[in-house]
Amino acid sequence: MKHLVWLVLASLLLAVPARADEPIDVEIGKSRMLRLSADPKIVMVADPAVADVVVEEGRVIFLVGLQAGETNVYVLDDDGQVVLARNLIVKPAAS
């Protein structure tokens, strides 16, 4: 029973999402999938030369790294409430 409790606690710690103030990292030519808490109405990337966003059904978006740099991404719902507001760092692909 003791081992089961530790296993459950460890799995909960692994399931905790990244803090909202931490930037999202993505490599050039790769994408990062995010599941949103609400349907996106407005999706904006400040510098579209650095990253692109692909919006899919089911509250899923993909952030795509285009060139090295920093930008930010905002997602608003139907009521204009902020669903996501994060800095995005695009890095060169790891060799």
Side-chain angles (χ1 to χ4, degrees):
M1 179 69 173
K2 198 179 221 182
H3 295 291
L4 179 61
V5 171
W6 281 111
L7 182 61
V8 170
L9 288 175
S11 66
L12 288 175
L13 288 174
L14 292 174
V16 174
R19 291 182 33 189
D21 58 346
E22 290 180 2
I24 299 169
D25 293 333
V26 65
E27 291 182 2
I28 295 171
K30 303 228 174 145
S31 64
R32 173 74 55 105
M33 182 183 80
L34 299 176
R35 293 193 184 276
L36 303 172
S37 60
D39 292 328
K41 171 72 174 188
I42 297 172
V43 179
M44 190 278 305
V45 173
D47 189 346
V50 172
D52 193 13
V53 177
V54 177
V55 179
E56 293 293 334
E57 293 182 21
R59 299 180 178 177
V60 173
I61 64 171
F62 293 91
L63 303 174
V64 181
L66 300 177
Q67 73 177 28
E70 294 186 31
T71 188
N72 56 6
V73 59
Y74 285 93
V75 178
L76 306 177
D77 66 12
D78 284 334
D79 297 324
Q81 298 297 310
V82 176
V83 176
L84 178 74
R86 299 279 292 275
N87 288 330
L88 178 61
I89 300 172
V90 178
K91 300 177 179 181
S95 340

